[in-house]
Amino acid sequence: MATYKSPVQDYLFLLNDVFHIERHTDVPGYAELSPDLVEATLTEAAKLCDNVLAPLNRVGDSEGCTRHEDGSVTTPSGFKEAFDQFRDGGWNGLKFPEEYGGQGLPSVLAGVLTEFLSGSNLSFWMYSGLTQGAVAALLRHASDDLKRLYVPKMVACEWTGTMNLTEPHAGTDLGLLRTRATRQADGSFAITGTKIFISAGEHDLAENIVHLVLARIEGAPSGTHGISLFLVPKFIPAADGSLGSRNAASCGSIEHKMGIHGNSTCVMNFDGATGWLVGEENRGLNALFTMMNEARLGTGMHGIAIGEAAYQNAAAYAHERLQGRALAGRKTDKPADPIVVHGDVRRMLMTMRATTEGARALAVWTGIQVDLAARAADPAVREAAEDHLALLTPVIKAYSTDTGFASAVMAQQIFGGHGYIVENGMEQFVRDARINQIYEGANGVQAMDLVGRKLGLNGGKPMKAFVSEVEAWLHSRADKETLAVHVKALEAGLGDLTQAALWLAKHAGEDPEVLGACAYDFLNLFGLVVLGYMWGRMCEVAGEKLAGSMGQAGQASAHLSAKLAVGRFYAERMLPETAMLLARIKTGAGATMALSDEAF
Amino acid sequence: MATYKSPVQDYLFLLNDVFHIERHTDVPGYAELSPDLVEATLTEAAKLCDNVLAPLNRVGDSEGCTRHEDGSVTTPSGFKEAFDQFRDGGWNGLKFPEEYGGQGLPSVLAGVLTEFLSGSNLSFWMYSGLTQGAVAALLRHASDDLKRLYVPKMVACEWTGTMNLTEPHAGTDLGLLRTRATRQADGSFAITGTKIFISAGEHDLAENIVHLVLARIEGAPSGTHGISLFLVPKFIPAADGSLGSRNAASCGSIEHKMGIHGNSTCVMNFDGATGWLVGEENRGLNALFTMMNEARLGTGMHGIAIGEAAYQNAAAYAHERLQGRALAGRKTDKPADPIVVHGDVRRMLMTMRATTEGARALAVWTGIQVDLAARAADPAVREAAEDHLALLTPVIKAYSTDTGFASAVMAQQIFGGHGYIVENGMEQFVRDARINQIYEGANGVQAMDLVGRKLGLNGGKPMKAFVSEVEAWLHSRADKETLAVHVKALEAGLGDLTQAALWLAKHAGEDPEVLGACAYDFLNLFGLVVLGYMWGRMCEVAGEKLAGSMGQAGQASAHLSAKLAVGRFYAERMLPETAMLLARIKTGAGATMALSDEAF
């Protein structure tokens, strides 16, 4: 069976040594983040994830969720007890304001937990993960009354949340949605319609479920400008929070899915259910984007998390499985050498590490920007952080989930035939990782968001800021011998990226189709470059620490040395792909769009 | 639910127009292949595959196989009736000699059927597919007595076959295997041991099952030079073919797998089972390679087949699903445009077609070489064909299954969330396609076979012959305006390939690890180039036919025009990846091997 160990050490390196969270003490929440508190928190979270949630991952997959005739849903064995433990540990409230019962700690720390939780058990994590997204939307857009009544219960995870967007005929294009809201005399609305793919839509883990539902108020304009967001609780609470009558929101069925079986993905029926408006009328998408952007960063984290989990198991297996001999001569006296000696196995292990650890660094860097955008005193700092988030959210969502899936596939490949066998858990990583590329906006939609909206945002300011930052970093390292491999590769990669952006900007005017035809290549190019920047920064710090006079104890030193080796692999063998992507982009849309629609 | 339509038209184009099977009338079997017979055979096979087998594909996945307490195994509903139909149609004997009840038709035609059968229902096909591999091994290596008794029944598919190689601790490295064979007084052997991952190991589709089992005769040398091949029937037949006593070969359990649920993958226990030696003592691997090479080409075909099936469903869905608007302006009056208008959806559809159709051309080219190697009168022709097979079998196996899996993943992606739902059948393609990259020698093993054995085979003769052929083709098309895009890209790709081969040859002596570290990149480079050659040849023919004075009827003309468009896409956007792969190969093994074993 697959096992999992939360990557505490790597996060301590990123938080303390690479991104220096101690430099942000002026940002609310950061002053409390002493190195000791961070380490203690992560270590404690790791215990829960490694020992309680990870062993339930296979259970969740094999049992799945059960819908009963009355519409109630039972989660897999052990989920309820584990959820009690998660809730009682207060883990859900880490980043939320203290006035709502949270701990007011930075988002970046909660992001670390997201990796541990989703790496150990993605299906389990989603029950609380959706809740966190719903809380974020309510905090930003709901009335004080709604916030007072709902948010504390959700922060405590006594009530969980959901996002109700998709309808059978409308996913990405929300303008097509049909669920309707009828105004009632008391100011509430009656919500009627069917939503599909509702994660955690119904379950037995919490006493109440708070659905955030997109619907169209009768008489509202068609398209996306006529959509509003509503809060629809499973049980309607009294003003004191005690549960009242059952609302007309119910689970019609549970979807049969490729993976994440432990999460109940529901078809939700709203039959005149009572709901309350969140935010302004017809501005539902606006309110939703708060939740979506948060969810997209979280989904990127799921990709990293499963990449890490799959890697750990593949690396362990590569030490255990004996087959063949090392090409440079036998390495052991056993009947055969462990497969970790083989170059092609190492190619896969190194690729997994290069993408997983690179994307993790990007997630931490970005997690800090989430805090700066929400909490920094200086408006210029907030704006710069917002720009970073706008530009990099689609990259993180798509690139980290594509590489996470690829890592799961490679890890399964290292197991050979045993990777195809259910009991070994490797094929579950592949099936579970696959959803991350699809939900919260399919990765192709992220690519279109990047080239169609984010590149040109505010006259291209976010993109210019990103390029300037990397250029400045490169400039001041131009003569640094130890970083030469990174500087060379990153310089070339950044050049390719800027050329590609200019090319797209120039040609999109003549032929708008170039954006669609080249979007995915551009996103991959961007992902390669930003991970190259992360590897440059990590290797600089690792090299300095290793060279430092204090020296490093065994394990820490091994961690730093490995960073240098993996970073070199990334710079030499992966980052140079940018040239190919630029060349492909420069072929434009012609070849992709030439065939008539009917010919498909 | 997913549907399937056998690609008859594409095969007629390849067999008749591109590879001119009518030019091989001097090869036994080809004279019978009139265009009418080919078309009638493929059309008839397509009926069985499209109408009978494809509808059982989901059934097989959801029901799986059931092992009963007595060790017997029931296949999914409908499989037995369909198998009767398949057997009664004589489909299994197409390529086998008439003296054993076959039809003596060329292998290349049987290869076409392999695509139709595995595209419509991979799990179903494997029951007879394994039989074909076993027949091939028996025809080549078994004694006349064994052939007379077993082969006609297996050609008729009244009895099916299996391959018993893998043991729990020994997969790729067969030298480690432990199953033992004890010589008995009557010349037979008693076989004892456990084999795993035995496809079609036990089932209810045929009255007898003929296991080919690798085992070590007591006293034989250790390692791969002490392994022999045995024929171990489930029921021991009398000389007249009537079934006698039950042999001590039984299914201990059925594996729980990620996919191909409709095929019973068994743990097989041999408890002193009676077996007969096939071929020479201690030369079992030699006998096995006949079966393996055939199986590897077949597995490549599975990759193509699932790629095609997944593409067909994704293309249909892309016409049906409405989301958003074309970037160049709305294309329909519907509430939204079908997603086939979007550049990123087309990128995926075109990529699927470019790899699937390119790999199919390679499969047909190679299928003809199988016939030439086995049947041509001229020894030089046979030798050239053997060289082709030696060199290209690992490329076909690995590249076609990697691209087949990638196609299944892209097709699922086009379905968005609906692709993750079991009932739509797209996620089954992903799960089923995944095994092709693993079995019959994992794709990394194929890459090592290519660089470690095949590149330098006979002083590099096969590789030189391949390069010369492509060079000659390029040379005589250098001034052909209509092929310019192909010539340019293929020339560059071929240059990258030869440089990479030279680089590897030069550096492997100094550092053997470069072979392992660079094997996969080299295999991909080779795959890209050989598909580029196929696309060049297909586009040349398509262009000539389109321009021809006879003109072409609507559907045929659309097929030819699409070839030109997809070929251009391949040449402009895919083939140029070779430069990146060459650059990566030239970085050698350093970055891949730098990290110590313990650091993983």
Side-chain angles (χ1 to χ4, degrees):
Chain A
M1 201 182 78
T3 58
Y4 179 73
K5 192 168 176 309
S6 299
V8 173
Q9 187 179 28
D10 208 31
Y11 271 108
L12 295 178
F13 170 70
L14 291 170
L15 293 166
N16 298 324
D17 300 322
V18 180
F19 294 107
H20 296 285
I21 50 173
E22 80 279 3
R23 292 181 189 164
H24 295 290
T25 44
D26 56 329
V27 180
Y30 278 73
E32 290 84 340
L33 277 193
S34 69
D36 286 352
L37 175 82
V38 171
E39 183 162 359
T41 305
L42 299 194
T43 304
E44 200 58 30
K47 278 186 205 160
L48 176 72
C49 294
D50 303 359
N51 305 330
V52 179
L53 305 187
L56 292 175
N57 196 35
R58 270 276 300 136
V59 177
D61 186 63
S62 57
E63 285 188 19
C65 295
T66 311
R67 179 186 177 277
H68 306 283
E69 271 186 30
D70 63 357
S72 66
V73 169
T74 311
T75 53
S77 309
F79 270 44
K80 187 150 178 43
E81 295 74 12
F83 200 77
D84 289 347
Q85 212 173 322
F86 169 79
R87 188 185 53 233
D88 296 349
W91 294 109
N92 198 52
L94 213 67
K95 68 179 172 186
F96 293 120
E98 289 170 284
E99 63 172 306
Y100 292 103
Q103 299 176 48
L105 289 169
S107 259
V108 68
L109 200 65
V112 179
L113 287 207
T114 301
E115 180 176 341
F116 295 3
L117 289 159
S118 56
S120 56
N121 195 327
L122 177 57
S123 294
F124 179 90
W125 148 249
M126 288 169 66
Y127 292 101
S128 56
L130 270 294
T131 309
Q132 295 193 5
V135 167
L138 292 177
L139 282 176
R140 186 133 166 199
H141 301 284
S143 68
D144 287 343
D145 283 352
L146 285 179
K147 281 197 274 198
R148 208 173 302 123
L149 185 53
Y150 288 91
V151 172
K153 295 281 195 184
M154 294 170 76
V155 165
C157 231
E158 289 173 31
W159 301 354
T160 63
T162 70
M163 288 166 66
N164 287 250
L165 285 59
T166 307
E167 298 181 5
H169 60 288
T172 297
D173 192 347
L174 289 167
L176 303 173
L177 73 81
R178 294 180 191 146
T179 296
R180 64 183 194 278
T182 310
R183 208 178 302 270
Q184 303 190 123
D186 66 354
S188 70
F189 290 79
I191 312 292
T192 303
T194 297
K195 297 285 183 177
I196 61 171
F197 304 158
I198 307 309
S199 301
E202 178 59 50
H203 58 80
D204 56 357
L205 301 179
E207 59 185 14
N208 202 6
I209 301 174
V210 181
H211 304 289
L212 295 189
V213 185
L214 287 185
R216 205 180 287 283
I217 297 174
E218 282 183 329
S222 64
T224 52
H225 299 294
I227 296 173
S228 305
L229 183 67
F230 298 89
L231 181 159
V232 182
K234 175 178 170 187
F235 291 100
I236 298 173
D240 65 354
S242 63
L243 296 183
S245 62
R246 181 74 165 82
N247 206 350
S250 62
C251 164
S253 63
I254 300 185
E255 307 279 10
H256 304 112
K257 309 185 299 291
M258 182 186 201
I260 51 166
H261 295 162
N263 199 277
S264 64
T265 307
C266 299
V267 173
M268 291 300 298
N269 296 320
F270 297 92
D271 301 311
T274 304
W276 288 270
L277 186 68
V278 175
E280 291 174 49
E281 280 186 25
N282 300 336
R283 300 270 293 160
L285 288 195
N286 194 39
L288 187 82
F289 278 135
T290 307
M291 200 153 68
M292 282 294 277
N293 283 329
E294 165 141 354
R296 286 174 176 181
L297 292 176
T299 303
M301 201 58 112
H302 304 170
I304 298 165
I306 297 191
E308 171 70 33
Y311 166 80
Q312 289 180 11
N313 286 279
Y317 188 77
H319 283 291
E320 199 179 280
R321 180 75 176 178
L322 308 180
Q323 300 275 301
R325 289 291 177 198
L327 291 175
R330 62 158 59 199
K331 290 257 211 147
T332 66
D333 290 334
K334 295 177 182 163
D337 287 335
I339 60 174
V340 71
V341 306
H342 299 312
D344 191 60
V345 171
R346 277 164 172 273
R347 169 187 65 83
M348 294 189 272
L349 292 171
M350 292 294 274
T351 303
M352 288 182 232
R353 283 184 74 151
T355 51
T356 301
E357 296 175 20
R360 179 180 294 137
L362 174 58
V364 170
W365 183 31
T366 303
I368 294 170
Q369 306 304 312
V370 171
D371 290 317
L372 294 179
R375 308 181 185 191
D378 182 347
V381 171
R382 288 204 304 273
E383 197 181 303
E386 288 284 7
D387 282 353
H388 174 112
L389 293 176
L391 185 68
L392 282 163
T393 295
V395 178
I396 290 174
K397 196 285 179 182
Y399 199 72
S400 305
T401 60
D402 281 355
T403 54
F405 177 70
S407 289
V409 170
M410 283 184 273
Q412 182 188 26
Q413 191 73 17
I414 287 175
F415 270 69
H418 298 277
Y420 204 66
I421 301 299
V422 170
E423 284 78 359
N424 293 321
M426 302 309 288
E427 60 91 41
Q428 184 188 346
F429 289 135
V430 174
R431 290 185 289 103
D432 286 359
R434 187 71 186 87
I435 192 58
N436 295 319
Q437 302 170 287
I438 297 173
Y439 64 14
E440 306 304 343
N443 285 357
V445 174
Q446 304 297 328
M448 282 306 295
D449 179 43
L450 177 65
V451 299
R453 262 192 294 256
K454 302 304 179 55
L455 265 189
L457 194 68
N458 302 330
K461 187 161 73 72
M463 182 65 181
K464 283 175 197 153
F466 172 79
V467 172
S468 298
E469 171 166 346
V470 182
E471 272 173 352
W473 189 89
L474 283 167
H475 186 71
S476 58
R477 273 90 181 161
D479 302 323
K480 218 163 165 182
E481 199 56 47
T482 53
L483 286 177
V485 61
H486 295 281
V487 169
K488 183 177 160 233
L490 185 55
E491 222 156 36
L494 189 70
D496 293 338
L497 180 67
T498 51
Q499 274 194 64
L502 287 171
W503 194 95
L504 284 177
K506 180 162 177 239
H507 291 84
E510 302 153 21
D511 178 6
E513 299 292 2
V514 298
L515 291 181
C518 302
Y520 220 86
D521 292 317
F522 186 81
L523 186 137
N524 281 330
L525 208 176
F526 207 139
L528 282 163
V529 170
V530 67
L531 261 62
Y533 178 46
M534 294 295 100
W535 273 112
R537 291 184 63 174
M538 286 193 283
C539 287
E540 180 173 39
V541 172
E544 284 167 1
K545 288 196 72 171
L546 272 173
S549 56
M550 295 182 298
Q552 293 289 331
Q555 211 194 348
S557 159
H559 180 260
L560 298 170
S561 300
K563 279 278 176 261
L564 296 182
V566 178
R568 175 189 165 194
F569 180 89
Y570 186 82
E572 279 189 11
R573 295 181 72 93
M574 300 188 70
L575 186 44
E577 279 184 42
T578 55
M580 184 265 287
L581 293 167
L582 172 63
R584 195 189 282 164
I585 287 169
K586 283 185 170 173
T587 67
T592 307
M593 305 306 289
L595 203 54
S596 70
D597 291 353
E598 301 72 42
F600 287 99
Chain B
M1 203 182 77
T3 59
Y4 179 73
K5 192 169 177 309
S6 298
V8 173
Q9 188 179 28
D10 209 32
Y11 271 108
L12 295 178
F13 171 71
L14 291 170
L15 293 167
N16 298 324
D17 300 322
V18 180
F19 294 106
H20 297 285
I21 50 173
E22 79 279 3
R23 292 182 189 162
H24 294 290
T25 43
D26 55 329
V27 180
Y30 278 73
E32 290 83 340
L33 278 192
S34 70
D36 286 352
L37 175 81
V38 171
E39 184 163 357
T41 305
L42 299 194
T43 305
E44 200 59 29
K47 278 186 205 160
L48 176 72
C49 294
D50 302 358
N51 305 331
V52 179
L53 305 187
L56 292 176
N57 196 36
R58 270 276 299 135
V59 177
D61 186 62
S62 57
E63 286 188 19
C65 295
T66 310
R67 179 185 177 278
H68 306 283
E69 272 186 30
D70 63 357
S72 67
V73 169
T74 312
T75 52
S77 309
F79 269 43
K80 185 150 179 44
E81 294 73 14
F83 200 77
D84 290 346
Q85 212 173 322
F86 169 80
R87 188 185 53 233
D88 296 348
W91 294 109
N92 199 52
L94 213 67
K95 68 178 172 185
F96 293 120
E98 289 168 283
E99 63 172 306
Y100 292 102
Q103 299 176 48
L105 289 169
S107 258
V108 68
L109 200 65
V112 179
L113 287 207
T114 301
E115 180 176 341
F116 294 3
L117 289 159
S118 56
S120 56
N121 195 327
L122 177 57
S123 294
F124 179 90
W125 148 248
M126 287 168 67
Y127 291 101
S128 56
L130 270 293
T131 309
Q132 295 192 7
V135 168
L138 292 177
L139 282 175
R140 186 134 166 198
H141 300 284
S143 68
D144 287 342
D145 282 353
L146 285 179
K147 281 197 276 199
R148 208 173 303 121
L149 184 53
Y150 287 91
V151 171
K153 295 281 194 184
M154 294 171 77
V155 165
C157 231
E158 289 173 31
W159 301 353
T160 63
T162 71
M163 287 166 66
N164 288 250
L165 285 61
T166 306
E167 299 181 6
H169 60 287
T172 297
D173 191 346
L174 288 168
L176 303 175
L177 74 79
R178 294 181 191 144
T179 296
R180 64 183 195 278
T182 310
R183 207 178 304 269
Q184 302 190 123
D186 65 354
S188 70
F189 289 79
I191 312 291
T192 303
T194 297
K195 297 285 182 177
I196 61 171
F197 305 159
I198 308 308
S199 301
E202 178 60 51
H203 57 80
D204 56 358
L205 301 179
E207 59 185 14
N208 201 6
I209 301 174
V210 181
H211 304 290
L212 295 188
V213 184
L214 287 184
R216 204 181 288 282
I217 296 174
E218 282 182 328
S222 65
T224 52
H225 299 295
I227 296 173
S228 305
L229 182 67
F230 297 90
L231 181 160
V232 182
K234 176 179 170 185
F235 290 100
I236 297 172
D240 65 354
S242 63
L243 295 184
S245 61
R246 181 75 165 82
N247 206 350
S250 62
C251 164
S253 64
I254 300 185
E255 308 278 11
H256 304 113
K257 309 184 302 289
M258 181 186 202
I260 51 167
H261 295 162
N263 199 277
S264 63
T265 308
C266 299
V267 173
M268 292 299 298
N269 296 319
F270 297 92
D271 301 312
T274 304
W276 287 269
L277 185 68
V278 175
E280 292 174 47
E281 280 185 27
N282 299 337
R283 300 270 294 161
L285 288 196
N286 193 41
L288 186 82
F289 277 136
T290 306
M291 200 153 68
M292 281 293 277
N293 283 330
E294 164 140 355
R296 286 174 176 182
L297 292 175
T299 303
M301 200 58 112
H302 304 171
I304 298 165
I306 297 191
E308 171 71 32
Y311 166 79
Q312 289 179 10
N313 286 279
Y317 188 77
H319 283 291
E320 198 178 280
R321 179 75 176 177
L322 309 180
Q323 300 275 300
R325 290 290 177 198
L327 291 176
R330 62 159 58 200
K331 290 259 210 142
T332 66
D333 291 333
K334 295 178 182 162
D337 288 335
I339 60 174
V340 71
V341 306
H342 299 312
D344 190 60
V345 171
R346 277 164 172 274
R347 168 187 66 82
M348 294 189 273
L349 292 171
M350 292 294 274
T351 304
M352 288 182 232
R353 282 184 75 151
T355 50
T356 300
E357 295 175 20
R360 179 180 294 138
L362 174 58
V364 170
W365 184 29
T366 303
I368 294 170
Q369 307 304 312
V370 171
D371 289 317
L372 294 179
R375 307 180 186 191
D378 182 346
V381 171
R382 288 205 303 273
E383 196 181 302
E386 289 282 7
D387 282 353
H388 174 111
L389 294 176
L391 185 67
L392 282 163
T393 296
V395 178
I396 290 174
K397 195 284 180 183
Y399 198 73
S400 305
T401 60
D402 281 356
T403 55
F405 177 70
S407 288
V409 169
M410 283 184 273
Q412 181 188 27
Q413 192 73 18
I414 287 175
F415 271 69
H418 298 277
Y420 204 67
I421 301 299
V422 171
E423 284 78 357
N424 293 320
M426 303 308 289
E427 59 91 41
Q428 185 189 345
F429 289 134
V430 174
R431 289 184 290 105
D432 286 359
R434 187 70 186 87
I435 192 59
N436 295 319
Q437 302 170 286
I438 297 173
Y439 64 13
E440 306 305 343
N443 285 358
V445 174
Q446 305 298 328
M448 281 307 296
D449 179 44
L450 177 65
V451 300
R453 264 193 292 255
K454 302 302 177 57
L455 264 190
L457 195 68
N458 303 329
K461 187 160 74 71
M463 181 66 180
K464 283 175 197 154
F466 172 78
V467 172
S468 298
E469 171 166 348
V470 181
E471 271 173 352
W473 188 89
L474 282 168
H475 186 72
S476 57
R477 273 90 181 161
D479 302 323
K480 217 160 166 185
E481 199 56 46
T482 52
L483 286 177
V485 61
H486 295 281
V487 168
K488 184 177 160 234
L490 185 55
E491 222 155 35
L494 189 70
D496 292 339
L497 180 66
T498 50
Q499 273 195 65
L502 287 172
W503 194 95
L504 284 178
K506 179 160 178 242
H507 291 83
E510 301 152 22
D511 178 7
E513 299 292 1
V514 297
L515 291 180
C518 302
Y520 219 85
D521 292 317
F522 186 82
L523 185 137
N524 281 331
L525 208 175
F526 207 139
L528 281 164
V529 170
V530 67
L531 260 61
Y533 177 46
M534 294 295 100
W535 272 113
R537 291 184 62 173
M538 286 193 283
C539 287
E540 179 174 40
V541 172
E544 284 168 0
K545 288 196 73 172
L546 272 172
S549 56
M550 295 182 298
Q552 294 288 330
Q555 209 196 349
S557 158
H559 179 259
L560 298 170
S561 301
K563 278 277 177 265
L564 296 182
V566 178
R568 175 188 164 194
F569 181 90
Y570 187 82
E572 279 189 12
R573 295 181 73 92
M574 300 189 70
L575 185 45
E577 279 183 43
T578 55
M580 184 266 287
L581 293 167
L582 173 62
R584 194 189 280 163
I585 287 168
K586 284 184 169 173
T587 67
T592 307
M593 305 306 289
L595 203 53
S596 70
D597 291 353
E598 301 72 41
F600 287 99

